[in-house]
Amino acid sequence: MKRLLLVLFLLFVHECIALTTAPSITLLKNNRKVNEVPLLDNRFRIDHKVEKITLLFFRKPGSPAVILVKPDGSKYYAHHSMKDEMLEWYDEASYDLITIENPTPGPWQVIGRVQPDSRIMVLGDIELVVEPLPKLMFRGETLKVTGQVTNDDKPIDVGYFRDVVSLIVEFVSTNNDQYDNFGAGTQSVTEFKDDGREFDERPMDGIFTGEFKLVFPAGEWQPEFYIETPILKRRVVQAPIVIAEPPFEFDLTLASNATASHELLIKLDQNIIKPETVIFQGKIFYPNGEEQIFTINPEARLYRKLEVSNYDWGRYQIEFSVFGENINGREFMARLPVYNFEIERPIEKVPELQAPKVNPLLAKLPLQEPEPTLSTGALITIIAVGNIFIMLIGWLVIRIFVQRKPIKLKIKLPSFKKKQSTTEQDDDKVNANDPNGSKNNKSGDILNLSMDGD
């Protein structure tokens, strides 16, 4: 009897162990505790308490969007979101982001080329957590920012999530007319990804780390950080901050002569930075194309001196990078605006020309009268006549030697002899008709008044 009871007890224990070790499907509940489960043969189950669920499926890049099979066997396709108000679907090259309101409880199935190690993420309360910016900053400074996206107060450490979310940093002007950035609008400074590149420290750790430079005008700005996808949108707006001008002043003293050097005095503002921690490093560009790298080590004084070689006239440029601590103990790194100065080209003095010495003997000689010169009109006339004569000679040469034609001048001279003889004949005719020698006119207007015997 005891053996029978022992056997029954062992069988009961074995069955309990078998039941506890059997694989089961975990319910996806949006209860701020469970937000991620592995896929079991591309199947998952939605609990009846879920009113709204957001699913994120990672698939092989370039593959088509997945297909969801509901518990009743009907299917959800990506294009159904255009007609169904209860469904939002955004498909990208490597993932599908789906939001379903009042999903059907029960077992679901996903069809598609889902990544082998992909997980179904039930996106609950997505939040963006960003470290506050320091209160004391100045233009040219390089800042490091760290942000994190959480899902139900837990970091999202799924590796494929880096392809979905980017952290964007913007500075919006407060339009305060007391500052230089009044009306400057919005400055988009950078965009971070959790990919381990550039300034991101570790890939796929759910933490966005990056650096950006304050290269925009000084003034009052409001920092804004946001992540945005067609479905996910989160924005963090921090309190306005004031970005000051660099706490450095420059005073240049030019060289007094060609052998001396120019001296640049850099004054430090101890109300913003600790002078004993400040290090300067940069490069000098000379007018002749030469370059010089320099370093100014930290000192307790409130000024630094930089000697610049005198390369005569031209344009000088000096680039500055500065490292140190501000009065709050925060280490900073900044790139200051390029300092320029120019030396004008000197004006060369031309020696005065001395009057030539005149021989006193030549000075006593009488001045020679200047030879008469032709006027402009006479010169033009001579040139015109000369051109006509040259053309005439050329025409004669061509006609005689080239065309071989004789020159015939047809000139009719008046014949005075013939005219005289004709006049005499007319006189004879008059005398023959009129014995008195008077001209007879048919009209009888002319009378012969001569008398005989005269």
Side-chain angles (χ1 to χ4, degrees), residues 183-246:
T186 301
Q187 300 286 335
S188 181
V189 294
T190 188
E191 180 178 353
F192 300 150
K193 286 183 176 294
D194 183 22
D195 54 4
R197 298 178 181 178
E198 296 183 355
F199 296 102
D200 189 55
E201 295 179 353
R202 298 179 183 84
M204 300 178 294
D205 61 349
I207 300 176
F208 300 84
T209 306
E211 292 183 354
F212 59 89
K213 297 179 181 180
L214 302 177
V215 294
F216 38 85
E220 189 177 50
W221 297 88
Q222 188 170 39
E224 293 187 3
F225 307 85
Y226 68 92
I227 58 174
E228 183 175 357
T229 67
I231 297 178
L232 292 176
K233 295 182 180 180
R234 296 293 183 271
R235 182 180 294 267
V236 174
V237 180
Q238 296 185 356
I241 60 175
V242 176
I243 299 176
E245 290 288 347

Side-chain angles (χ1 to χ4, degrees), residues 31 48 91 133 147 152 232 282 295 297 301 307 312 317 332 343 454:
N31 56 2
H48 65 280
D91 63 288
L133 294 177
D152 288 339
L232 292 176
T295 301
N297 295 322
R301 296 180 297 179
E307 292 187 355
D312 206 2
Q317 291 184 339
F332 66 85
I343 300 177
D454 288 341

Side-chain angles (χ1 to χ4, degrees), residues 313-331:
W313 59 273
R315 185 179 183 85
Y316 295 74
Q317 291 184 339
I318 306 177
E319 293 181 351
F320 285 98
S321 295
V322 59
F323 308 86
E325 292 183 11
N326 61 14
I327 56 176
N328 295 332
R330 180 179 64 87
E331 294 187 355

Side-chain angles (χ1 to χ4, degrees), residues 145-267:
V145 175
T146 300
Q148 189 176 24
V149 182
T150 60
N151 185 14
D152 288 339
D153 297 330
K154 294 182 180 180
I156 301 177
D157 56 358
V158 178
Y160 295 109
F161 197 75
R162 65 176 184 175
D163 299 327
V164 182
V165 179
S166 297
L167 176 59
I168 301 174
V169 183
E170 291 182 348
F171 282 79
V172 182
S173 173
T174 58
N175 287 330
N176 191 337
D177 57 1
Q178 297 181 358
Y179 295 94
D180 295 336
N181 67 329
F182 175 73
T186 301
Q187 300 286 335
S188 181
V189 294
T190 188
E191 180 178 353
F192 300 150
K193 286 183 176 294
D194 183 22
D195 54 4
R197 298 178 181 178
E198 296 183 355
F199 296 102
D200 189 55
E201 295 179 353
R202 298 179 183 84
M204 300 178 294
D205 61 349
I207 300 176
F208 300 84
T209 306
E211 292 183 354
F212 59 89
K213 297 179 181 180
L214 302 177
V215 294
F216 38 85
E220 189 177 50
W221 297 88
Q222 188 170 39
E224 293 187 3
F225 307 85
Y226 68 92
I227 58 174
E228 183 175 357
T229 67
I231 297 178
L232 292 176
K233 295 182 180 180
R234 296 293 183 271
R235 182 180 294 267
V236 174
V237 180
Q238 296 185 356
I241 60 175
V242 176
I243 299 176
E245 290 288 347
F248 308 99
E249 294 183 3
F250 299 91
D251 187 10
L252 177 66
T253 302
L254 297 178
S256 58
N257 53 64
T259 58
S261 299
H262 308 298
E263 186 178 86
L264 182 63
L265 185 66
I266 309 172
K267 300 178 182 179

